[in-house]
Amino acid sequence: MKHRTSLVGLLFGLVSSLYANFALAINDMPGGPSRFQLNLQPAATKVAEEVAVLHWMMLIICAVIFVAVFGVMFYSIFKHRKSLGHKAASFHESTTVEIIWTVVPLIIVIAMALPATKTVVAMKDTTNADITIKVTGYQWKWGYDYIKGEGEGISFLQTLTTPREQINNQAEKSNTYLVDVDNEMVVPVGKKIRMVTTANDVIHSWTIPAFGVKQDAIPGFVRDTWFRAEKVGTFYGQCSELCGKEHAFMPIAVKVVTDAEYTTWVADKKKQLAALADDPTKTFTMDELKQRGEKVYASNCAACHMPNGKGAGAFPGLDGSKVVLGPKDAQYKILLQGKGAMPKWTQLNDVELAAVMTYTRNAWGNKTGELIQPKDFSTARAAK
């Protein structure tokens, strides 16, 4: 008995220790879920507040109905059971009962539908927006184009930057694990932001829980939604439509700033984009193309074909690939038109495509010595 008690105590202590260590290892995510969270994320928009109110209202109504129905049922079973001498009533129909169980549910449904309809209608009212942003889903990143309002003309891609060591459990995970991005979408506080969503390959879904926003991005279709953030801060979400192998690695980050900070960001971003603008007529050296191509490959290709070019599962390796080492036309075609799970890379410009093609033909064990210039891709596009 003593040995059994000691063993139980040891196991209890071990479990308590593991739980304590686990709890300490997890931190609240800024602008996102917190430890032991049971409710919705704190609302950052009026719509999200209304969604939270609806959530609790529906939950309370359903709980009251549950308690009432099962309470009456169990009370009847217990108080009128056969062992106490009760006998079941015998009747065929009751007009009163029929009316009650028709009218009461109807009233409950109307009471639930009216506020829900009001919120849904408000969620779809994208008129009179201060800023319009087109968001395009790619496997597996987001593209943003500011198409109306302050910031018009700004375009960039948003890609996961969580180190691969954290993903592979080779390093301690940060409290922004799997939501770190290279370019946050920046918007001003208190302004109505219209989001126009579409996709380049498969269905994605642009979702920010704190904004009460979830809008599918569908290839060939244009959908829209909106939000107006009521407070500054950085808010996170993720693609919430299963979109392929790297679905879990497709975060969304929106930074809400003051009007003055937004104006400064717009000016700085436009200067940055102008400085980085590529000249498709320039002739690049091998080193320039390989350095640029390595960055393009890491951001767009390494998720499937692996950083070492060996491929994984259904995704073929590029190291020693017949397509990469073969005639150029085949690689032009697959980059511009895609094939199977390989999307067409139309979001990359000719300089980026030339750089990544040069890199893959001269990286790892591939040593073709061939340079692909931007004008070569211009010609390939025209030929297509």
Side-chain angles (χ1 to χ4, degrees):
M1 179 64 74
K2 290 183 178 179
H3 291 298
R4 186 179 300 171
T5 303
S6 300
L7 180 60
V8 171
L10 179 63
L11 290 173
F12 180 78
L14 180 62
V15 171
S16 300
S17 176
L18 289 172
Y19 177 81
N21 291 333
F22 178 74
L24 291 173
I26 301 174
N27 297 313
D28 293 349
M29 180 181 290
S34 56
R35 289 190 299 167
F36 315 122
Q37 178 178 314
L38 297 176
N39 200 3
L40 302 177
Q41 287 189 22
T45 66
K46 294 291 186 183
V47 168
E49 289 179 1
E50 292 179 15
V51 170
V53 171
L54 283 171
H55 163 73
W56 278 108
M57 184 191 79
M58 302 292 183
L59 181 63
I60 291 170
I61 290 175
C62 292
V64 170
I65 294 172
F66 177 86
V67 171
V69 171
F70 281 89
V72 171
M73 184 180 73
F74 287 121
Y75 173 81
S76 300
I77 292 171
F78 180 75
K79 282 292 186 179
H80 302 88
R81 61 189 187 274
K82 185 178 180 180
S83 60
L84 294 181
H86 289 279
K87 293 182 180 181
S90 178
F91 59 90
H92 184 262
E93 61 184 34
S94 172
T95 303
T96 302
V97 172
E98 294 280 355
I99 293 174
I100 290 173
W101 71 29
T102 300
V103 173
V104 171
L106 178 63
I107 293 172
I108 293 173
V109 168
I110 292 173
M112 297 169 73
L114 287 177
T117 302
K118 178 184 175 183
T119 300
V120 170
V121 170
M123 293 170 74
K124 294 300 179 183
D125 180 15
T126 59
T127 58
N128 302 317
D130 298 299
I131 297 172
T132 300
I133 302 173
K134 177 186 175 185
V135 54
T136 305
Y138 300 97
Q139 288 179 310
W140 289 271
K141 59 180 65 63
W142 297 99
Y144 296 93
D145 298 284
Y146 288 62
I147 59 178
K148 186 178 180 182
E150 187 178 6
E152 181 177 342
I154 292 176
S155 297
F156 56 87
L157 292 173
Q158 185 178 85
T159 308
L160 175 72
T161 58
T162 295
R164 187 54 67 170
E165 290 77 15
Q166 290 186 22
I167 296 173
N168 295 336
N169 293 319
Q170 296 171 341
E172 184 177 349
K173 293 176 172 58
S174 68
N175 63 341
T176 53
Y177 173 66
L178 291 187
V179 293
D180 299 301
V181 298
D182 50 1
N183 291 303
E184 297 166 324
M185 188 186 101
V186 180
V187 297
V189 68
K191 295 295 179 68
K192 186 172 184 177
I193 312 299
R194 178 178 177 234
M195 304 296 297
V196 179
T197 66
T198 188
N200 183 61
D201 32 53
V202 299
I203 299 176
H204 302 278
S205 187
W206 197 86
T207 307
I208 298 284
F211 293 168
V213 171
K214 181 183 184 296
Q215 182 62 68
D216 284 354
I218 305 172
F221 291 84
V222 174
R223 314 286 297 280
D224 66 351
T225 186
W226 70 278
F227 66 88
R228 180 185 281 110
E230 302 292 332
K231 54 185 177 182
V232 300
T234 302
F235 303 91
Y236 297 101
Q238 287 182 307
C239 176
S240 54
E241 186 73 36
L242 186 59
C243 59
K245 172 177 170 287
E246 300 290 312
H247 167 66
F249 306 103
M250 194 172 171
I252 304 164
V254 177
K255 186 175 183 179
V256 182
V257 298
T258 63
D259 287 342
E261 290 173 330
Y262 180 72
T263 300
T264 301
W265 176 82
V266 168
D268 292 343
K269 194 68 175 178
K270 287 188 174 182
K271 289 179 182 177
Q272 178 188 355
L273 292 174
L276 294 175
D278 291 315
D279 181 3
T281 63
K282 178 181 175 180
T283 299
F284 293 85
T285 66
M286 172 68 81
D287 287 341
E288 288 174 332
L289 288 169
K290 286 182 67 176
Q291 289 176 8
R292 179 70 178 277
E294 185 175 13
K295 294 178 181 178
V296 176
Y297 181 88
S299 297
N300 299 277
C301 315
C304 295
H305 298 291
M306 298 293 104
N308 59 7
K310 298 298 183 182
F315 299 97
L318 302 184
D319 186 5
S321 165
K322 292 181 180 179
V323 174
V324 174
L325 298 178
K328 297 177 184 177
D329 288 344
Q331 197 169 2
Y332 289 145
K333 184 176 180 180
I334 200 169
L335 285 170
L336 291 173
Q337 300 180 26
K339 182 180 179 182
M342 171 78 169
K344 54 185 178 181
W345 290 99
T346 51
Q347 74 270 29
L348 300 180
N349 61 37
D350 289 343
V351 175
E352 293 170 320
L353 287 169
V356 76
M357 185 167 166
T358 300
Y359 174 74
T360 58
R361 296 175 83 87
N362 294 279
W364 317 298
N366 302 337
K367 304 298 180 184
T368 65
E370 297 174 339
L371 281 75
I372 313 299
Q373 296 293 347
K375 61 183 180 181
D376 297 326
F377 262 97
S378 300
T379 303
R381 287 183 193 272
K384 185 190 74 169

